[in-house]
Amino acid sequence: MTDGRRPGGASRQDAGHVELTGRFYGVMGYDTPSYVRGRVTRAQLVTERYRRPPENHGWHIVPGHRRLRDVEEAPRFFDNDMFMRNDLFEVDREVGVVVDLDLDDVPLIPARPSIVPGDVSASGETLWVADQQLPIVVSIDPEHVAREHVLPGHIGHSRHVWATSTGCWVGGHDGLYRCVSGEEPRKIIDGPVPHGAVIGEHFLACPSGTRWSLHTQDHNPVEVDVPDGCVRSIAVDGESFVVLAEQRQTDAASTYRLIRVNVSGDVTIGPQLPPMQHSPRPFLTGSPLRVFRGSVAVAVLPDLTYGAIERLGGDPIFHGGQIGDFVWMIGHPPDGGHCPARSNTSVRASSGYSPFSMPSLSNR
């Protein structure tokens, strides 16, 4: 929400890019898909008072006790540990930061590069790069020659790219595309294809729902029937794909199972897996294959059940993947990080993402 003045005194509502002068009011939540640029002129920590009745564990904000305190830097995260203590019934807790921005005292936005990398994949010595928002994919061959491939898609969609020796597959919320050097990109599927994986020239496309499809360069796709559920992670295990699927039972509960699909399209559905509550969303990676969730790694057995559990130690991890024989994982910076109270900056909230560290690489 913005309280400001349009140049020239115009008062009508406009769509698209509008230049405003004045004071900006906004809540930059984790799911805010936008940004604002300005000079940070002031930062104030917000403190609220919480109280819970002795007979239960429900905490509530006490009206009339909000306080603001000027600071030179603000913490990135705020502690919740006091809510876990049984000896506290009232506590003052820092809950956020109010940032004042000067929207006029900020450099002009630099010109956008011809491509802003959003996803990258490689096969052999050829690299494929998908733009963050434009329907453009760039291939870079072993001689470092870049070629642009324009998809028959829409602007404003992020996409994933999966490279093969003959080209690449590109998937996102506006469909699935196939790119081959020397040919025009073509659209294969109209519906969303946010998940997929490749084994050689075989590509497994996993849209939401019960019907996946297995694709190759020169053959018709093979339909793959699976139980209804949401794909949470895909990994390659030898000559087959292994998919971790979530099935929602209620708004607050869900179950997981593993599904194996070989390159011929044959499906093996594993049993319902034991729950792992109060942990970040799980993901598959590693060789041998494991499910990582929070601070544990669980081995995947050939019958698609869980095996030994390994405690990783340290703070929970949030996502990861595999590069060759190595597994990489990301989590919050160990010190929590800080942002300065006065600086030239772009304050951006991007759906579900924040700065992370890469704490470890392991080939175990």
Side-chain angles (χ1 to χ4, degrees):
M1 179 171 65
T2 306
D3 176 17
R5 303 180 300 280
R6 280 182 172 80
S11 59
R12 67 183 179 87
Q13 297 295 318
D14 293 318
H17 182 80
V18 179
E19 181 179 337
L20 300 177
T21 301
R23 176 171 295 204
F24 174 86
Y25 300 88
V27 177
M28 306 302 287
Y30 73 94
D31 57 350
T32 307
S34 60
Y35 65 90
V36 60
R37 299 178 77 247
R39 180 185 291 274
V40 179
T41 60
R42 187 183 189 187
Q44 299 175 88
L45 278 182
V46 182
T47 300
E48 295 276 13
R49 179 164 296 178
Y50 288 80
R51 182 182 297 158
R52 72 173 177 90
E55 65 274 7
N56 65 53
H57 295 282
W59 289 88
H60 304 281
I61 293 178
V62 182
H65 290 273
R66 175 177 291 184
R67 301 196 314 272
L68 300 177
R69 177 169 60 88
D70 283 289
V71 294
E72 289 298 318
E73 61 180 20
R76 190 183 303 276
F77 310 110
F78 298 91
D79 190 12
N80 286 323
D81 291 347
M82 69 283 293
F83 293 152
M84 302 295 106
R85 292 176 53 178
N86 294 324
D87 59 333
L88 291 179
F89 300 97
E90 187 172 279
V91 64
D92 291 339
R93 175 179 174 264
E94 294 172 348
V95 296
V97 58
V98 175
V99 178
D100 289 0
L101 296 177
D102 186 334
L103 302 184
D104 296 317
D105 186 13
V106 63
L108 295 175
I109 299 176
R112 189 188 194 275
S114 59
I115 183 169
V116 178
D119 197 29
V120 179
S121 183
S123 178
E125 297 183 0
T126 301
L127 186 70
W128 293 84
V129 183
D131 190 271
Q132 277 188 2
Q133 293 185 313
L134 301 180
I136 294 174
V137 177
V138 172
S139 61
I140 305 174
D141 64 22
E143 286 71 41
H144 307 290
V145 176
R147 294 179 175 84
E148 184 178 274
H149 309 263
V150 180
L151 307 176
H154 300 290
I155 295 173
H157 293 283
S158 62
R159 298 173 177 88
H160 295 290
V161 59
W162 298 274
T164 70
S165 60
T166 58
C168 75
W169 302 90
V170 184
H173 291 289
D174 67 336
L176 176 68
Y177 304 86
R178 176 63 176 169
C179 292
V180 178
S181 295
E183 300 180 8
E184 290 294 321
R186 64 184 190 273
K187 195 169 192 177
I188 306 299
I189 296 177
D190 289 325
V193 183
H195 305 285
V198 294
I199 299 176
E201 287 298 317
H202 296 83
F203 174 71
L204 178 65
C206 297
S208 299
T210 61
R211 190 174 292 277
W212 303 343
S213 53
L214 194 61
H215 300 258
T216 57
Q217 167 68 11
D218 299 317
H219 297 84
N220 292 328
V222 175
E223 300 294 336
V224 180
D225 294 325
V226 293
D228 192 15
C230 298
V231 174
R232 294 307 180 198
S233 185
I234 306 177
V236 172
D237 185 32
E239 291 299 309
S240 63
F241 306 92
V242 178
V243 180
L244 180 64
E246 180 183 12
Q247 295 174 303
R248 300 292 295 180
Q249 307 299 320
T250 66
D251 290 340
S254 60
T255 59
Y256 291 87
R257 69 176 68 243
L258 293 165
I259 301 171
R260 185 183 298 275
V261 181
N262 67 19
V263 293
S264 299
D266 301 321
V267 179
T268 303
I269 300 171
Q272 180 175 311
L273 298 171
M276 290 188 289
Q277 301 296 333
H278 310 297
S279 297
R281 184 169 291 173
F283 61 91
L284 279 165
T285 193
S287 180
L289 195 60
R290 286 168 288 181
V291 174
F292 289 81
R293 189 167 188 177
S295 299
V296 301
V298 187
V300 174
L301 300 180
D303 61 356
L304 302 179
T305 60
Y306 282 159
I309 298 176
E310 179 184 358
R311 301 284 175 184
L312 303 178
D315 294 331
I317 56 176
F318 296 97
H319 191 54
Q322 189 166 352
I323 304 173
D325 293 331
F326 290 86
V327 171
W328 57 266
M329 296 171 284
I330 54 178
H332 286 305
D335 62 355
H338 287 77
C339 59
R342 290 173 174 82
S343 66
N344 274 322
T345 186
S346 294
V347 181
R348 181 180 179 91
S350 162
S351 182
Y353 293 94
S354 59
F356 290 103
S357 63
M358 186 180 289
S360 61
L361 284 168
S362 173
N363 62 355
R364 293 183 300 158

